[in-house]
Amino acid sequence: MKIFKTEQIKALDAYTIEHEPISSFDLMKRASTALFNELLQQLDRDAVIHVVAGPGNNGGDALVVARLLKMVGFQLKVYVFSTFGKYSSDCLAAQNEYQMAGGVVHVFDDGTPIDLDIQPSDCVIDGLFGSGLNRPLEGFYAAVVKHINQSGAKVFSIDVPSGLFGEDNRTNTPESIVRADVTYTFQFPKVAFLLYDNAPYVGEVKVLDIRLHPQGMEQLPSEYYLFGKDEARGLLRKRDIFSHKGTYGHALLVAGSYGMMGAALLGAKAAFRAGCGLLTVHVPSLCCDLLQGAVPEAIASLDSDEKAFSELPDLNRFSAVGVGPGLGKKMQSHKALLSLLEQISVPLVLDADALNIIAEENWLAKIPKNAIITPHPKEFDRLAGASSSGYDRLEKQMQISKKYGIVVVLKGAHTSVSLPDGRCFFNMSGNPGMATAGSGDTLTGIILSLLAQKYTAEQAALLGVYLHGLSGDLAAAVYSQEGLMAGDIADYVGKAVKRVKS
């Protein structure tokens, strides 16, 4: 699914209006009816519902919803806010229909004191401003937002929380953004919803299908996409009945150091669960017994150094290489990693201390084309410099992919995968329970396994991230998010594959 910038949404609406065809007011009604049907399941019948409408089409949506709620008996207080009495034509039409249905509208402008008398037990439907906003709310409208946020009532925002920009909020004013409990957004989430620093504003996000014209969405270009189960199923390959272990590749995982072998074991288990045929794990020589006892399926490659990574095995026999989990940052490991970067000719995934070494040595340009890197935000900032916001970090991520020709997997909620061609995908699986030690090591193993099976770097990153998140979801359903451990994620990879196929 494509995600469109707010500047493109008007074009999509216009295309739908022209090619369906449908009037803009009827399209508004369709969207508002979808919202009304959802709100029926959420609103407390005994609560007073405060409908806050702005002067534009977002306000029109709120007023249509108000009319529908009135028809089924909800207790409503409806407020319309406008400066100089200016409204969009559809907002005026919605207001007229609400009044014709017997509804009372309280109109506020710059000169009217704002006293909405919202109690903590009430609910607010926020339709002040929608996705087209491009400057921070101030003065009159900022005061309305402040009133809503201080009320303690449960807030339901229409399309976007009023005051939030659809993408880049670096110049926004946090105090002038509605803090919604639930955001009902139309057709697709906005990019801002997928970034960590906007979570306090958007709350729970629910996407409503308002049937924008599919051809319009197909034709309009976008940099941003969602990646979910349907996309994962489209990538996952069926196994040949006459295949053998060699068919599914021989992966090399360079991981672990004395005292940090858990990372190597987690990565190795996840790699096997993701389907590679053979796996060699290169570990310090003192760690051999631990590896072979915990993962007997793996082939041990022993470093001459007893405690750290210091040399490479012969790379010619491997179909993909993964480096980094639990590696440590000894100076001999720096030298060995540089040697690997200079001579590797097979697909590569880099994680954890491999990325920390690259950041320390400023070796970003030495990463081979089409390699995959899997940093968490702090590791990414070491590579790219500190970021002022989630959107700033996202821009840097996409720039690095294009500049260096690599795939960047930026881990977190809605893990983003940026590609050298400029596209960026947001993952739709996973849960907060996966914020636990070793979770990233299992992701490295999964991606390595897919690379060994000859999935492209793009496919391995996207499918690997989705399977990783889904494994966490399945495990959390059994152990809870709080009880989730990285080993559970590794154990559930096979079940995640099965779920994608179903």
Side-chain angles (χ1 to χ4, degrees):
M1 179 191 288
K2 291 180 183 177
I3 308 174
F4 296 98
K5 291 184 176 181
T6 51
E7 65 197 31
Q8 298 174 296
I9 293 173
K10 284 186 178 179
L12 282 174
D13 288 346
Y15 189 97
T16 301
I17 289 166
E18 179 182 355
H19 290 84
E20 187 169 331
I22 186 173
S23 71
S24 61
F25 189 46
D26 284 339
L27 181 59
M28 174 183 285
K29 285 183 175 180
R30 185 160 77 196
S32 300
T33 300
L35 174 56
F36 164 73
N37 289 331
E38 289 290 326
L39 286 171
L40 278 180
Q41 313 302 317
Q42 296 291 325
L43 294 176
D44 183 352
R45 281 277 181 177
D46 297 324
V48 177
I49 313 302
H50 299 260
V51 179
V52 178
N57 283 4
N58 195 244
D61 291 326
L63 290 163
V64 172
V65 168
R67 178 176 57 82
L68 296 172
L69 291 172
K70 179 177 174 54
M71 290 171 61
V72 295
F74 279 89
Q75 304 175 64
L76 297 177
K77 290 185 178 180
V78 176
Y79 317 98
V80 176
F81 295 87
S82 174
T83 52
F84 311 113
K86 293 181 179 179
Y87 303 93
S88 73
S89 59
D90 286 343
C91 182
L92 275 177
Q95 184 174 336
N96 290 336
E97 283 199 355
Y98 178 68
Q99 290 173 315
M100 288 175 63
V104 176
V105 175
H106 304 277
V107 179
F108 293 81
D109 58 30
D110 269 337
T112 309
I114 300 169
D115 182 14
L116 308 186
D117 191 28
I118 304 173
Q119 300 301 313
S121 59
D122 297 341
C123 295
V124 175
I125 296 175
D126 160 39
L128 196 60
F129 285 99
S131 59
L133 200 68
N134 55 18
R135 58 190 176 90
L137 296 180
E138 53 188 21
F140 173 60
Y141 292 118
V144 178
V145 169
K146 183 177 180 181
H147 203 91
I148 293 171
N149 287 342
Q150 291 181 344
S151 70
K154 188 169 185 177
V155 179
F156 301 87
S157 285
I158 300 175
D159 203 27
V160 300
S162 292
L164 187 71
F165 305 153
E167 292 84 37
D168 184 2
N169 283 273
R170 283 175 287 190
T171 61
N172 210 340
T173 305
E175 297 78 16
S176 299
I177 304 172
V178 165
R179 291 176 174 261
D181 295 283
V182 184
T183 299
Y184 291 102
T185 194
F186 297 138
Q187 202 64 57
F188 41 77
K190 310 306 180 275
V191 172
F193 297 177
L194 304 170
L195 304 176
Y196 72 93
D197 38 0
N198 298 320
Y201 311 116
V202 300
E204 181 184 1
V205 176
K206 296 189 176 183
V207 180
L208 305 180
D209 182 5
I210 62 170
R211 305 197 308 277
L212 292 180
H213 204 291
Q215 188 174 340
M217 291 188 284
E218 182 180 343
Q219 291 179 357
L220 195 62
S222 178
E223 299 171 293
Y224 304 112
Y225 297 78
L226 297 179
F227 192 89
K229 182 178 179 181
D230 289 343
E231 291 78 16
R233 185 188 293 116
L235 292 183
L236 197 60
R237 298 173 189 163
K238 184 178 180 181
R239 291 203 160 200
D240 191 322
I241 192 170
F242 291 107
S243 57
H244 52 83
K245 62 186 177 183
T247 306
Y248 302 108
H250 189 171
L252 171 66
L253 178 62
V254 181
S257 57
Y258 193 73
M260 290 289 290
M261 271 299 293
L265 303 181
L266 288 166
K269 288 181 179 180
F272 272 122
R273 289 293 186 191
C276 65
L278 291 160
L279 174 68
T280 291
V281 186
H282 184 80
V283 297
S285 55
L286 274 182
C287 304
C288 178
D289 291 347
L290 183 58
L291 170 67
Q292 297 206 297
V295 192
E297 299 89 348
I299 302 166
S301 167
L302 303 182
D303 200 288
S304 60
D305 192 298
E306 292 185 336
K307 296 185 177 181
F309 169 50
S310 71
E311 63 188 12
L312 292 172
D314 181 4
L315 298 179
N316 291 325
R317 58 198 177 105
F318 301 111
S319 46
V321 177
V323 188
L327 204 65
K329 296 188 294 179
K330 302 284 188 182
M331 189 49 61
Q332 60 265 42
S333 300
H334 286 233
K335 294 177 180 178
L337 179 61
L338 178 60
S339 177
L340 183 145
L341 294 175
E342 290 177 339
Q343 65 177 281
I344 192 165
S345 59
V346 296
L348 173 67
V349 55
L350 296 161
D351 182 35
D353 280 331
L355 297 178
N356 291 327
I357 291 171
I358 287 169
E360 288 180 11
E361 298 284 2
N362 196 25
W363 286 344
L364 197 53
K366 295 183 181 294
I367 298 175
K369 302 289 185 186
N370 289 315
I372 301 170
I373 65 172
T374 61
H376 58 56
K378 285 187 177 180
E379 289 167 346
F380 181 82
D381 287 354
R382 292 180 195 124
L383 290 165
S387 299
S388 61
S389 69
Y391 190 77
D392 184 32
R393 189 176 286 119
L394 178 65
E395 281 195 325
K396 289 178 179 177
Q397 175 189 358
M398 295 172 71
Q399 289 166 1
I400 283 175
S401 283
K402 287 189 280 189
K403 180 177 180 180
Y404 297 105
I406 60 177
V407 177
V408 181
V409 175
L410 182 56
K411 294 181 287 195
H414 304 299
T415 291
S416 51
V417 179
S418 57
L419 306 179
D421 63 11
R423 290 178 296 157
C424 185
F425 292 76
F426 294 92
N427 181 56
M428 301 308 292
S429 64
N431 65 83
M434 298 176 71
T436 185
S439 179
D441 304 322
T442 63
L443 175 61
T444 302
I446 295 168
I447 292 175
L448 169 62
S449 181
L450 295 171
L451 287 174
Q453 295 170 67
K454 296 194 168 35
Y455 285 88
T456 66
E458 173 184 331
Q459 293 169 340
L462 291 170
L463 182 56
V465 166
Y466 183 79
L467 289 173
H468 179 251
L470 182 56
S471 302
D473 290 338
L474 295 174
V478 176
Y479 299 111
S480 79
Q481 292 183 8
E482 292 79 4
L484 188 63
M485 297 172 64
D488 303 326
I489 299 172
D491 289 340
Y492 273 79
V493 174
K495 292 183 179 180
V497 173
K498 187 176 181 180
R499 178 66 64 87
V500 169
K501 289 179 177 179
S502 64

